[in-house]
Amino acid sequence: METLLLNGDAVDENARMGEVIRAVESAFAAYERGDVQMPAKSYIELPRYNGDFRSMPAYMDAGDWDAAGVKWVNVHPDNPADHDLPTVMGTMIYSDPETAYPLALMDGTELTMKRTGAAAAVATDHLAVADATTLGIVGAGVQSYTQLEAIAEVRPIEEVVVADKDPDRVDAFRAEFADRFTVTEGSIADAAACDVLSTVTPVRDPIVAAEDLGEHTHVNAMGADAAGKQELETAVLQSAKVVIDDHEQCTHSGEVNVPWSEGAIGDDDIYGEIGEIVVGDKAGRTADDGVTVFDSTGLAIQDVAAAHVVYAEAEQAGNGYPFELI
């Protein structure tokens, strides 16, 4: 047997967004039904290098799904300036559960962007108004691209408002999508007034106020991935219908972590997990809902589900570089 090596371009080519969205939705459902094993994300702190390693293993055994893998990812903020390397890099090992043979070794950074966008799309599909045509994005970094790509798969997005401190990043984003959408630069309040809002920033001081949001805006809070990070003012979370991906991760390092640890919100303020909505145990958007919020921390099962799609597509298309690892 051979192991398939897939770089970032190969992952991008084979991660067809529609398929990734369906795979991630299936992963949320499998998690809710108990058809997965997903140990808690583990951390190795590297204070000497101002960074850390994170390992994210998971196994899915649900119907047609029989997939396992682990993502090894880092966060090193000094990399761009000191080493001309990205702050975050990831590697995904996708394995055959029956034999444990490593079927693929693939770029986890591109995979993360795809599955993160797909998670927002799943939440948007269940929680946003059906006729949403406007999307606001706060933060025009790499994650913003797959937010639009994925959300446009589930809603008829026509206009996009982007807010970012760096006008060059806004210009690059506009140029990428100019032939498909009307993209304008605006303030955070302008973006927040849209039908759907995705926040993809690393801030620790909230930047989206309750009064900024539209009456029925759905918010994908994607940026908080560590304790102390928060993009939305606590008042937003106190008044919105809040849906999370995983209670342990979200209360530790998701959008709700700060107000939850301070006692400003409690479990009664959290409507439920996205998996409960996907399987039909709880309702998604109802006629009585105003603002809705999805707190996404990113689950290892999303990586495995996305890797499953990428590997299958690449193997069928003959993409990547097969080599004998074992």
Side-chain angles (χ1 to χ4, degrees), residues 42-46 51-55 72-76:
S42 63
Y43 292 79
I44 296 176
E45 301 293 341
L46 303 167
D52 64 60
F53 285 120
R54 308 170 187 193
S55 63
W72 180 244
V73 63
N74 76 291
V75 177
H76 281 59

Side-chain angles (χ1 to χ4, degrees), residues 16-26 117-118 121-122 150 153-154:
R16 298 182 181 179
M17 186 54 80
E19 293 299 317
V20 176
I21 292 170
R22 284 185 282 274
V24 168
E25 186 170 45
S26 296
V122 172
E153 290 275 338
V154 300

Side-chain angles (χ1 to χ4, degrees), residues 29-90:
Y31 185 42
E32 177 60 27
R33 294 179 177 127
D35 294 330
V36 308
Q37 293 183 48
M38 189 179 67
K41 183 188 303 184
S42 63
Y43 292 79
I44 296 176
E45 301 293 341
L46 303 167
R48 177 180 174 183
Y49 303 109
N50 187 29
D52 64 60
F53 285 120
R54 308 170 187 193
S55 63
M56 301 174 64
Y59 168 56
M60 296 176 58
D61 181 13
D64 294 335
W65 291 89
D66 188 26
V70 59
K71 186 172 73 175
W72 180 244
V73 63
N74 76 291
V75 177
H76 281 59
D78 298 334
N79 268 0
D82 295 351
H83 306 288
D84 195 28
L85 289 171
T87 298
V88 178
M89 295 177 287

Side-chain angles (χ1 to χ4, degrees), residues 135-138 161-163 186-197 212 217:
L135 170 64
I137 298 177
V138 180
V161 179
V162 184
S187 66
I188 291 174
D190 293 333
C194 293
D195 297 325
V196 181
L197 171 69
D212 293 338
T217 300

Side-chain angles (χ1 to χ4, degrees), residues 15-288:
R16 298 182 181 179
M17 186 54 80
E19 293 299 317
V20 176
I21 292 170
R22 284 185 282 274
V24 168
E25 186 170 45
S26 296
F28 285 139
Y31 185 42
E32 177 60 27
R33 294 179 177 127
D35 294 330
V36 308
Q37 293 183 48
M38 189 179 67
K41 183 188 303 184
S42 63
Y43 292 79
I44 296 176
E45 301 293 341
L46 303 167
R48 177 180 174 183
Y49 303 109
N50 187 29
D52 64 60
F53 285 120
R54 308 170 187 193
S55 63
M56 301 174 64
Y59 168 56
M60 296 176 58
D61 181 13
D64 294 335
W65 291 89
D66 188 26
V70 59
K71 186 172 73 175
W72 180 244
V73 63
N74 76 291
V75 177
H76 281 59
D78 298 334
N79 268 0
D82 295 351
H83 306 288
D84 195 28
L85 289 171
T87 298
V88 178
M89 295 177 287
T91 301
M92 183 75 188
I93 302 171
Y94 179 70
S95 301
D96 179 355
E98 181 178 1
T99 65
Y101 192 88
L103 298 172
L105 183 67
M106 64 182 73
D107 174 51
T109 305
E110 185 69 30
L111 190 77
T112 299
M113 290 191 293
K114 296 290 186 179
R115 62 82 152 155
T116 302
V122 172
T124 300
D125 201 24
H126 288 278
L127 294 168
V129 293
D131 58 349
T133 59
T134 59
L135 170 64
I137 298 177
V138 180
V142 293
Q143 293 283 358
S144 64
Y145 291 76
T146 52
Q147 288 294 303
L148 175 51
E149 180 186 355
I151 291 169
E153 290 275 338
V154 300
R155 286 297 184 272
I157 300 299
E158 298 174 357
E159 299 179 17
V160 183
V161 179
V162 184
D164 193 287
K165 293 180 178 179
D166 186 344
D168 290 339
R169 297 209 304 182
V170 175
D171 289 343
F173 184 92
R174 184 189 293 115
E176 178 69 21
F177 294 106
D179 60 337
R180 297 174 54 193
F181 306 97
T182 300
V183 181
T184 59
E185 182 176 5
S187 66
I188 291 174
D190 293 333
C194 293
D195 297 325
V196 181
L197 171 69
S198 286
T199 57
V200 282
T201 74
V203 299
R204 290 180 175 270
D205 295 319
I207 54 176
V208 178
E211 57 266 27
D212 293 338
L213 296 166
E215 185 178 356
H216 300 289
T217 300
H218 167 65
V219 184
N220 296 304
M222 314 300 290
D225 61 355
K229 289 187 176 182
Q230 184 182 2
E231 297 181 293
L232 313 179
E233 286 188 352
T234 297
V236 175
L237 300 170
Q238 290 172 327
S239 60
K241 180 176 183 175
V242 178
V243 176
I244 60 178
D245 59 8
D246 175 76
H247 186 276
E248 181 177 355
Q249 283 194 188
C250 287
T251 54
H252 173 267
S253 56
E255 181 60 36
V256 302
N257 87 91
V258 174
W260 189 85
S261 65
E262 294 174 344
I265 65 171
D267 287 347
D268 290 343
D269 297 300
I270 298 174
Y271 176 72
E273 295 186 354
I274 187 66
E276 296 177 275
I277 295 175
V278 169
V279 301
D281 288 346
K282 290 190 174 182
R285 172 166 285 276
T286 69
D288 296 329

